[in-house]
Amino acid sequence: MEEGLIKRLMASIKCGVCGQRYEVDNINVLGHHQDLWFLSALCPACHARCLVAAVIGEGKVPEVTTDLTKAELDRFRNASRVTTDDVLDMHNFLKGFDGDLSRLFCQE
Ligand SMILES: [Zn+2]
């Protein structure tokens, strides 16, 4: 799977905080474990930074879910900034995870 394709996929979804679409230039691919990709995206409008985990399988329609409730958005908005350690922790946690997962974590 090509990183450029992942970025274009991310650019088709909207910021969970303000609804602005992400731009390819504001998206970073952090890494992937099999079909599970980790990305960070910076909203060009409200500058909320989102950590995204997306399941993107070869030959399948990519799926990114942005289904956070308002309460979840408020919680992430007030959470501390995502660090590299957080991403590594999540990566390690998900190594043993074999189900489909599409989650979006947003915070400023
Ligand atoms: Zn935004």
Side-chain angles (χ1 to χ4, degrees):
M1 190 63 65
E2 186 184 336
E3 287 195 6
L5 186 63
I6 306 292
K7 289 186 178 184
R8 286 199 296 280
L9 167 68
M10 275 299 299
S12 72
I13 70 170
K14 295 177 181 176
C15 171
V17 176
C18 74
Q20 176 73 36
R21 285 186 189 278
Y22 294 116
E23 296 172 359
V24 171
D25 288 345
N26 292 331
I27 297 163
N28 289 312
V29 175
L30 302 174
H32 71 101
H33 175 66
Q34 296 178 350
D35 289 345
L36 181 63
W37 285 75
F38 294 97
L39 308 99
S40 69
L42 183 67
C43 175
C46 73
H47 300 116
R49 183 173 293 280
C50 291
L51 177 64
V52 179
V55 176
I56 305 170
E58 296 277 358
K60 288 189 286 186
V61 177
E63 181 182 352
V64 174
T65 304
T66 62
D67 59 355
L68 289 181
T69 65
K70 186 174 188 307
E72 286 172 327
L73 282 176
D74 286 342
R75 182 158 56 86
F76 286 120
R77 195 173 298 161
N78 293 327
S80 59
R81 187 168 291 277
V82 172
T83 66
T84 304
D85 283 347
D86 291 333
V87 176
L88 288 174
D89 285 347
M90 183 186 296
H91 180 85
N92 288 332
F93 171 75
L94 291 168
K95 272 183 177 174
F97 184 85
D98 61 359
D100 271 5
L101 177 73
S102 286
R103 294 296 301 271
L104 176 70
F105 306 95
C106 292
Q107 62 185 129
E108 288 180 325

